[in-house]
Amino acid sequence: MTKIINFTYHLNPNIYIDYKDLTDPFTIEIPISITNSETITLYFRVMLVNPPTDYTEHDVQLGAVNAGASAYKTWTITRTLPTSKTTDNLIARLMAYRDSDYTDLYGYKDLSLNFYLFNRDDGTLIDSDTFDSGSNEGWQGDSGPTLYASPSGKTYLSSPYGLKCRRSDNYHYQFFESVWLNGELIIPSTVRPPTQNWYRIVIPLAPSQTNTIKFSTTSLGQYGIYKSWNIGNVSEAYAIIHWRRGTMESSADGLDVGDAIDNVYIITFP
């Protein structure tokens, strides 16, 4: 007899992917937070249920979570490159097992989610920020502590500059703890990407209104750097932003000092 487990999305069941310049096939990494509230160690596995043939790898053994413990796991999915803009309606299944051989099923739960895939070159580019002129290109910092959107010659995706956030008091370069769109949390501090890599994030924007994205130095979004765009009457709009996590905060700029963003693209579809 299997037992009931819970499996739900944290903020949004939709995942948006700009596949320009990705390898074929490409990988998607999805963080999963697991809490084992039972009295025995459980072994977790996640997979797609009857996915399209485009998905070549998706069945992943996540490993053990001890009784009463919590852990973050990464679900890695492999998909072939689409040939055009497409939406995949998928079902994910999280399973818990009593044994490390994954044969004695404890319980499972299904979750519906959607992948929206596109190549940004197929849309209309309305703004791009590379910071390569040494300008902050319209990004601003909050007051309260006073923060600056500061071009960095040490951390960039395209030479010679990326953009960081620093405090005015001691030129302290900051981490981004969370990401917000129009005052709503879209990337919480608990699921920030790992350090020392560049990540491409895609944020859906609201048509027919002004959209403001903030990379916040706090989990509550009070302070950070931000920029606004006026999106017209279109069917879809997206921000594609490349984000690098640093390993420390410091008063001196450096590759792993503070977080950085670079190569920001705002695109629309009619």
Side-chain angles (χ1 to χ4, degrees), residues 19-248:
Y19 58 80
K20 177 179 169 62
D21 296 331
L22 297 185
T23 60
D24 188 13
F26 66 96
T27 58
I28 305 160
E29 294 185 350
I30 301 175
I32 298 178
S33 174
I34 298 174
T35 296
N36 179 4
S37 57
E38 300 301 321
T39 57
I40 60 171
T41 295
L42 292 173
Y43 299 82
F44 289 87
R45 171 187 172 197
V46 63
M47 63 181 290
L48 294 174
V49 179
N50 298 321
T53 56
D54 304 294
Y55 290 85
T56 56
E57 296 180 23
H58 58 86
D59 190 342
V60 178
Q61 295 177 357
L62 300 174
V65 178
N66 293 332
S70 297
Y72 281 96
K73 306 288 187 176
T74 300
W75 180 22
T76 300
I77 301 172
T78 302
R79 191 198 192 283
T80 58
L81 276 178
T83 56
S84 62
K85 187 171 177 287
T86 188
T87 300
D88 293 339
N89 306 119
L90 305 169
I91 297 175
R93 176 171 293 173
L94 181 68
M95 294 160 283
Y97 293 83
R98 297 178 179 89
D99 65 312
S100 59
D101 292 328
Y102 296 88
T103 58
D104 186 4
L105 182 65
Y106 178 87
Y108 74 92
K109 182 69 178 293
D110 290 347
L111 178 68
S112 297
L113 66 160
N114 304 304
F115 287 179
Y116 294 87
L117 303 106
F118 61 88
N119 185 323
R120 64 174 177 267
D121 286 348
D122 295 333
T124 299
L125 180 68
I126 66 171
D127 189 29
S128 64
D129 299 336
T130 65
F131 315 109
D132 291 344
S133 67
S135 165
N136 60 15
E137 300 196 35
W139 288 81
Q140 303 178 62
D142 279 312
S143 60
T146 302
L147 299 173
Y148 293 97
S150 179
S152 167
K154 300 292 185 180
T155 310
Y156 50 77
L157 186 60
S158 62
S159 178
Y161 292 105
L163 193 71
K164 292 184 177 180
C165 177
R166 67 171 177 84
R167 294 177 59 135
S168 62
D169 53 358
N170 59 359
Y171 297 92
H172 202 88
Y173 292 88
Q174 306 280 281
F175 289 144
F176 298 131
E177 296 290 338
S178 56
V179 183
W180 300 71
L181 172 66
N182 301 331
E184 297 291 330
L185 178 65
I186 57 172
I187 301 179
S189 59
T190 53
V191 294
R192 290 179 300 158
T195 59
Q196 295 181 289
N197 288 296
W198 282 99
Y199 297 90
R200 178 183 299 178
I201 62 172
V202 179
I203 300 171
L205 305 177
S208 304
Q209 72 176 65
T210 299
N211 288 256
T212 301
I213 292 175
K214 178 185 286 188
F215 281 77
S216 176
T217 61
T218 71
S219 61
L220 299 178
Q222 304 102 313
Y223 312 115
I225 59 173
Y226 61 91
K227 185 175 178 177
S228 299
W229 298 268
N230 184 24
I231 303 300
N233 183 21
V234 296
S235 64
E236 299 170 67
Y238 299 97
I240 299 103
I241 303 175
H242 297 82
W243 174 9
R244 191 184 195 277
R245 294 272 334 277
T247 60
M248 59 182 171

